[in-house]
Amino acid sequence: MKPSQNTPQSYWKKNLQYLLILLLIWFAVSYGAGILFKDTLDTIKLGGFPLGFWFAQQGSIYVFVILIFVYVWLMNRLDKKHGYDEAP
């Protein structure tokens, strides 16, 4: 039997799906751009610094902060969809 669209199980399944996708994006940016593709990215300059260095030092932090805001936005939508929003 498939659970209905608005069950706690479907809520948590979607929540874990969001977390997995966002953490994979962060991993790709921090590990991929900062370590694996560093040499290739270093051929591009950003503010006078090689792009690979920039991603390793700054970019992954910026992406992480952006992903926090994306997660909050996604969870607010999910909360409303499942009736867990705080609006009266």
Side-chain angles (χ1 to χ4, degrees):
M1 181 174 151
K2 188 174 180 180
S4 100
Q5 192 70 7
N6 288 329
T7 63
Q9 292 84 3
S10 66
Y11 175 85
W12 283 108
K13 182 178 179 183
K14 194 67 170 173
N15 182 10
L16 292 176
Q17 194 175 34
Y18 287 156
L19 283 173
L20 180 64
I21 291 168
L22 294 175
L23 286 174
L24 284 173
I25 292 169
W26 187 41
F27 176 78
V29 169
S30 62
Y31 187 75
I35 296 172
L36 293 179
F37 305 115
K38 179 192 169 300
D39 295 332
T40 306
L41 292 172
D42 279 347
T43 60
I44 303 168
K45 300 285 184 189
L46 180 66
F49 296 98
L51 189 59
F53 172 79
W54 184 85
F55 266 111
Q57 299 302 314
Q58 304 290 331
S60 62
I61 297 168
Y62 291 147
V63 169
F64 182 67
V65 171
I66 290 168
L67 290 177
I68 290 171
F69 286 105
V70 169
Y71 179 71
V72 167
W73 179 73
L74 288 170
M75 288 307 297
N76 283 336
R77 281 185 28 189
L78 187 64
D79 286 348
K80 281 184 184 177
K81 180 180 175 184
H82 286 269
Y84 296 128
D85 58 334
E86 297 179 49

